[in-house]
């Protein structure tokens, strides 16, 4: 009986192809939108987590001010000094290394090609705090660092734009007003978690950058590596107490510096992207309800159009349960067909968008199965009332219907 019912339902759908397609359009849009939004949201979350993980684990970022910028409208908070770096490295238990950073921007020039990039001055501790392997060349020596030699390690973006993919190690190029020897090339990291290109950088000894570019000993950022055996929260608290003492912050005065744990940043960004994904998916799911209403509307019309057919079936021995099942299967078939089409469209859309967003694409079996199951449930829910109405028809009245 089930097989016959399914055949009758599919035959009815095939008789009105255009009407059937327009009926399921809401389901198609709803399923496609939900799967697309959830998959892209998860891909974005995975990309953010990967980018934060690239910064390294158990790392504290120490900056002047109360946020990533100045914060508020008050005066610029004082920068850190090299003595602050030494104090944290020598006085705080659980600290493996402290990498100070001084940054500037300049135009790099090599054989007629030029590229505006970021200059990051730091110490060899930088590569200890957050491992960033080299694809060629070497890091600077302690002697080169102490003397403030004009040696540099470049990111892949700089290499691509100035050397067009060739190995630049051993070449000399001009950056700003100085000539610099390329001694190493960094591996590719890609897009940064807060925007920007992590590979668009020239890393030099901090003394070189301070003498030739910034003109001061000021430090705008410290990366503090924390031993795995220690709690980052405890180390963070100790650093805060030390800096308050060194910066003469007493009583109830607020800190004029901030300390970020990379894990906290990852958790915050992950929570934000997950929440936004859920909100967008919920909005997209409204289309499924609209599609269900469309199915119920067309099924009611179908019952009216086929009243005489229903009367004949009931008159020759069909029971009300069989009529109800026929129309219910028809509604579910329409809804499931819309779900399948929506899933196909969603995968095509995701495959087209992920390269543009520069996020990884993975097939999420769970959300696809859930979306298809919801489309089938909508067919049952919104198809039940028209099916019950068809089953409740009086055979004699139905046969009289014109």
């Amino acid at each position: 009986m089930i097989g016959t019912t399914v055949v009758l339902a599919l035959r009815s759908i095939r008789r009105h192809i255009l009407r059937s397609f327009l009926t399921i359009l809401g389901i198609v849009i709803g399923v496609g939108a939900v799967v697309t939004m959830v998959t892209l949201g998860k891909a974005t979350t995975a990309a953010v987590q990967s980018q934060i993980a690239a910064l390294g684990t158990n790392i504290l970022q120490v900056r002047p001010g109360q946020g990533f910028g100045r914060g508020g409208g008050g005066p610029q908070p004082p920068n850190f000094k090299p003595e602050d770096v030494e104090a944290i490295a020598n006085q705080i238990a659980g600290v493996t290394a402290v990498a100070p950073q001084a940054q500037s921007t300049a135009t790099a020039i090599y054989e007629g090609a030029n590229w505006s990039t970021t200059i990051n001055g730091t110490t060899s501790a930088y590569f200890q705090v957050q491992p960033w392997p080299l694809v060629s060349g070497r890091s600077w020596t302690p002697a080169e660092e102490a003397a403030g030699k004009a040696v540099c390690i470049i990111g892949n973006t700089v290499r691509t734009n100035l050397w067009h993919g060739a190995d630049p190690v051993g070449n000399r190029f001009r950056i700003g007003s100085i000539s610099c020897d390329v001694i190493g090339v960094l591996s590719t990291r890609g897009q940064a978690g807060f925007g920007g290109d992590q590979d668009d950088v020239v890393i030099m000894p901090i003394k070189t950058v301070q003498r030739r570019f910034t003109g001061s000993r000021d430090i705008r950022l410290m990366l503090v590596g924390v031993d795995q055996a220690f709690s980052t929260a405890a180390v963070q608290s100790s650093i805060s107490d030390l800096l308050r003492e060194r910066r003469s912050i007493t009583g109830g005065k607020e800190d004029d510096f901030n300390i970020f744990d990379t894990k906290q940043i990852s958790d915050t960004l992950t929570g934000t992207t997950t929440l936004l994904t859920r909100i967008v998916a919920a909005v997209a799911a409204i289309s499924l309800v609209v599609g269900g209403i469309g199915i119920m509307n067309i099924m009611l019309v179908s019952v009216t159009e086929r009243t005489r057919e229903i009367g004949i079936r009931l008159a020759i021995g069909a029971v009300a349960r069989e009529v109800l099942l026929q129309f219910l299967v028809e509604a579910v078939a329409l809804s499931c067909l819309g779900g399948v089409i929506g899933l196909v469209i969603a995968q095509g859309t995701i495959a087209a968008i992920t390269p543009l967003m520069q996020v990884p694409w993975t097939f999420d079996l769970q959300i696809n199965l859930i979306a298809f199951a919801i489309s089938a449930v909508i067919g049952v829910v919104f198809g039940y009332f028209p099916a019950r109405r068809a089953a409740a028809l009086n055979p004699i009245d139905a046969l009289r219907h014109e």
Side-chain angles (χ1 to χ4, degrees):
M1 183 183 71
I2 294 295
T4 303
T5 303
V6 172
V7 170
L8 290 173
L10 294 177
R11 186 178 298 169
S12 175
I13 294 173
R14 190 177 59 184
R15 278 203 304 262
H16 305 92
I17 294 293
L18 180 59
R19 187 172 75 177
S20 298
F21 175 74
L22 294 176
T23 300
I24 65 175
L25 194 56
I27 300 293
V28 172
I29 294 173
V31 169
V34 169
V35 173
T36 300
M37 291 300 101
V38 172
T39 303
L40 290 179
K42 288 187 175 182
T44 302
T45 301
V48 169
Q49 291 174 335
S50 175
Q51 290 159 7
I52 296 296
L55 298 177
T57 58
N58 282 40
I59 295 177
L60 300 176
Q61 297 184 2
V62 188
R63 302 171 184 266
Q66 296 180 349
F68 282 103
R70 286 176 55 181
Q76 177 76 27
N79 293 321
F80 302 116
K81 299 297 181 183
E83 293 75 18
D84 297 321
V85 177
E86 294 176 6
I88 293 174
N90 297 328
Q91 299 180 31
I92 303 298
V95 171
T96 57
V98 182
Q101 292 190 43
Q103 292 186 334
S104 183
T105 57
T107 299
I109 303 172
Y110 179 75
E111 292 186 350
N114 64 85
W115 182 254
S116 180
T117 187
T118 299
I119 303 170
N120 187 3
T122 186
T123 65
S124 56
Y126 178 81
F127 299 100
Q128 182 181 348
V129 173
Q130 53 165 15
W132 193 348
L134 305 179
V135 293
S136 64
R138 61 176 177 85
S139 182
W140 53 74
T141 64
E144 289 172 331
E145 181 178 318
K149 293 288 187 179
V151 293
C152 59
I153 301 171
I154 65 173
N156 188 60
T157 299
V158 179
R159 171 189 180 182
T160 300
N161 285 279
L162 294 186
W163 282 270
H164 308 291
D167 189 358
V169 175
N171 295 156
R172 172 171 288 193
F173 73 108
R174 192 166 193 82
I175 182 164
S177 60
I178 71 170
S179 294
C180 184
D181 294 319
V182 180
I183 61 172
V185 180
L186 296 162
S187 57
T188 302
R189 274 191 173 178
Q191 192 76 7
F194 301 98
D197 184 0
Q198 295 185 89
D199 301 314
D200 189 6
V201 66
V202 174
I203 300 180
M204 304 174 69
I206 191 168
K207 287 186 178 180
T208 308
V209 175
Q210 290 174 335
R211 291 172 183 172
R212 305 293 186 92
F213 294 96
T214 65
S216 71
R217 299 172 70 239
D218 290 348
I219 296 169
R220 290 291 299 170
L221 169 66
M222 292 185 288
L223 296 181
V224 181
V226 180
D227 193 317
Q228 296 282 354
F230 288 76
S231 166
T232 54
V235 174
Q236 181 174 342
S237 178
S238 298
I239 294 174
S240 179
D241 292 340
L242 176 62
L243 289 178
R244 284 181 65 89
E245 179 183 345
R246 295 186 60 82
R247 294 163 80 87
S248 301
I249 303 173
T250 58
K253 291 183 181 179
E254 292 185 352
D255 296 340
D256 61 358
F257 59 89
N258 62 81
I259 305 174
F260 285 99
D261 186 344
T262 53
K263 185 178 184 303
Q264 293 176 345
I265 298 174
S266 177
D267 292 343
T268 299
L269 291 176
T270 299
T272 301
T273 55
T274 300
L275 178 60
L276 290 175
T277 299
R278 290 175 180 174
I279 292 174
V280 173
V283 173
I286 296 175
S287 299
L288 289 171
V289 179
V290 174
I293 295 173
I295 288 177
M296 183 171 65
N297 180 50
I298 293 301
M299 292 306 300
L300 287 172
V301 172
S302 180
V303 169
T304 302
E305 290 178 346
R306 296 158 62 186
T307 300
R308 190 173 181 82
E309 173 192 332
I310 296 169
I312 293 173
R313 289 198 64 195
L314 292 172
I316 61 176
V319 296
R321 181 169 58 85
E322 294 174 342
V323 175
L324 183 145
L325 185 61
Q326 176 187 347
F327 281 87
L328 192 59
V329 168
E330 188 172 326
V332 173
L334 279 171
S335 188
C336 289
L337 180 61
V340 171
I341 296 175
L343 293 178
V344 173
I345 292 176
Q347 298 309 315
T349 303
I350 294 167
I353 292 179
T354 47
L356 300 178
M357 295 178 61
Q358 296 183 350
V359 295
W361 174 78
T362 54
F363 179 76
D364 192 333
L365 179 61
Q366 183 181 20
I367 186 59
N368 282 269
L369 291 177
I370 290 175
F372 180 77
I374 291 176
S375 69
V377 170
I378 285 177
V380 174
V381 172
F382 288 92
Y384 180 75
F385 177 71
R388 182 164 183 174
R389 181 173 178 179
L393 288 175
N394 185 295
I396 297 176
D397 294 336
L399 288 170
R400 290 175 180 173
H401 182 78
E402 295 295 336

